[in-house]
Amino acid sequence: MGNGVGMKKKKQKLIIPFISLKEGLHQFDFKINETFFQQFDYSIIQHANLNIDIDFEKKQTMLKLDFKLEGSILTDCDRCGDPLNIDVSGDEKLIVKFGKEKYEDTDEIKIISENDYELDLTEIIYEFAHLLLPSKTIHESENQCNQEVIERLKELSIKEQTESIDPRWEKLSKLK
Ligand SMILES: [Zn+2]
């Protein structure tokens, strides 16, 4: 889980005050947008609208959380660089255990103190949101891309191709 790098000013904290909850299932939902992401200095996501529904189960020795994330994220097209709004959704799980002993936090298990009375999900949800981003984001078809950029890219690739078969370069590479 996050180690707090990049956290500066918390404008929107996502907190579940669980101490007053009865054991059993509870539901929470959060809505986050750019205000949430702008509190992190190095956020890849700048603009987004996400709903986070949480099934929150309070047990005697642990808390079990099931997250459902859904919404849209504004990112850049990898092909033309224009802003691109993509629909995203995903599920995540988290188990929170109470302990005096020092466990390592892992991706699925978070350890908090027995004295804690609330659960701060701000950084976890920030990380979950980034997991929603596909590795490649491009306009569905090239026609939707910025045509000026596409034209320029085509010119560039033609140029590169002709350069790579330039006989002078071929001679040079043979000298090596
Ligand atoms: Zn594009």
Side-chain angles (χ1 to χ4, degrees), residues 30-92:
F30 295 113
K31 289 188 197 315
I32 55 173
N33 57 26
E34 48 267 25
T35 311
F36 177 78
F37 292 100
Q38 280 159 10
Q39 69 192 316
F40 296 89
D41 284 341
Y42 304 105
S43 180
I44 294 167
I45 299 171
Q46 290 294 330
H47 294 277
N49 276 300
L50 296 174
N51 289 322
I52 300 118
D53 287 318
I54 305 171
D55 283 341
F56 183 97
E57 193 179 1
K58 186 179 178 182
K59 296 186 168 197
Q60 206 172 5
T61 55
M62 69 172 81
L63 310 169
K64 283 174 81 178
L65 289 82
D66 281 315
F67 299 81
K68 254 193 191 8
L69 301 98
E70 205 169 8
S72 64
I73 296 175
L74 187 71
T75 174
D76 290 335
C77 172
D78 290 334
R79 192 160 44 204
C80 68
D82 269 14
L84 175 64
N85 210 27
I86 52 166
D87 292 332
V88 290
S89 63
D91 300 306
E92 297 290 342

